[in-house]
Amino acid sequence: MFVEPTHIQDHAKWDPLPDGASFEIARDIRDILLGAIPSGVTLTRRAVAAFDGQRVHRSDQVTDGALVIMRDDRNDRRWWTWAGSKASRASRRGPWAWFRRDN
């Protein structure tokens, strides 16, 4: 889950899920990226390999106990909250307004 700046004032572009991810889903994804194994399921070798690949690919987008603000390959900023879409939308006009600056 990430916030993407746009050129429209007071607007942010959100991930493509229709209603966005809930806090619980976003945190479960974050936990898996941090190395957790979902309980109550048996993972196939393919699923384990997919999790491992995503952990490597997204290692700079997640950390334990903090937000992640980073620059992507186009030098745009990305803010990884892992708080779910509702919380991210609520913060849209909050103290992160500096995030919309061009520099």
Side-chain angles (χ1 to χ4, degrees), residues 43-91:
L43 299 176
T44 64
R45 286 188 305 257
R46 183 176 168 196
V48 171
F51 280 171
D52 290 344
Q54 287 299 309
R55 288 178 182 128
V56 170
H57 179 71
R58 300 186 180 279
S59 64
D60 59 345
Q61 299 167 356
V62 62
T63 189
D64 192 22
L67 300 174
V68 176
I69 300 173
M70 58 175 281
R71 293 210 182 253
D72 64 12
D73 56 352
R74 297 177 307 182
N75 206 32
D76 290 332
R77 282 174 250 165
R78 297 284 183 256
W79 181 20
W80 293 87
T81 65
W82 301 103
S85 294
K86 185 176 181 180
S88 295
R89 281 191 295 270
S91 68

Side-chain angles (χ1 to χ4, degrees), residues 4 23 29-30 41 47 66-68 87 92:
E4 182 174 338
F23 176 83
I29 293 168
R30 173 188 166 271
V41 297
L67 300 174
V68 176
R92 184 165 72 174

